[in-house]
Amino acid sequence: MFTGYTDQTADVFWGIRFNNDRAWFAEHKREFQDAVMTPTKALAGDLFDWFQEEYPDLHLNVHISRIYRDARRLFGRGPLNDHIWFSFQSAVENRGEAPCFWFQVGADGYGCGAGWWTPPAAAVRLRKLIDNDPKRAEKLLKQLDAQPDLALTGQSYARPKGHADELVGRLYNLRSVSVESMRAFDPMSASPALTDWVKARFRVLVPLYQLCEQAYTMAE
């Protein structure tokens, strides 16, 4: 059961940011396990159980990231990430192409959200679903707008695809979809209340996830 992050959680991540090498991490690996991975795995487990109970039809799997960056994508950076994340999605393979819920904790704080960083063909399928049922998209966007700490972002098309409804057009003209809420470390992150905070935001994001998941699984 998740009981909260500690001051040491932030200290470990800031240590990584300023000492990004394997030798430093080897000396602080126990602190990383105790202050970062143990509570993160507990939070992921609690949220997975909640998804299984509340939304079994989503058939979600959980994936927890590693602290080491992909060696093929360092681009001059150190070998360590200054954050850890976990995701929930139905895909086991090709996770990078499927919509997901996610939670992140790192040097700058914590946050959660949902997203779909879509390839072009999938974005076309998403627009088809919106064209077939614009009221569905309108409803979920109004639900998002009612949550002031959840922001809809994403990469827009250079040439907008257009949509008569201005509200729905915000989603229609995105080639990738992301909704997130980020916060600095605070008393909530140090308590079990963080679990309920994440649940409340995931609950709002379920309709968006379902829309993206339907587009993801549609036959081309």
Side-chain angles (χ1 to χ4, degrees), residues 5 82-86 102-106 109-113 182:
Y5 290 107
D82 63 358
H83 63 278
I84 284 289
W85 55 265
F86 57 81
W102 57 265
F103 174 87
Q104 174 181 306
V105 59
Y110 66 96
C112 67
M182 301 297 296

Side-chain angles (χ1 to χ4, degrees), residues 109-120:
Y110 66 96
C112 67
W116 190 25
W117 296 270
T118 55

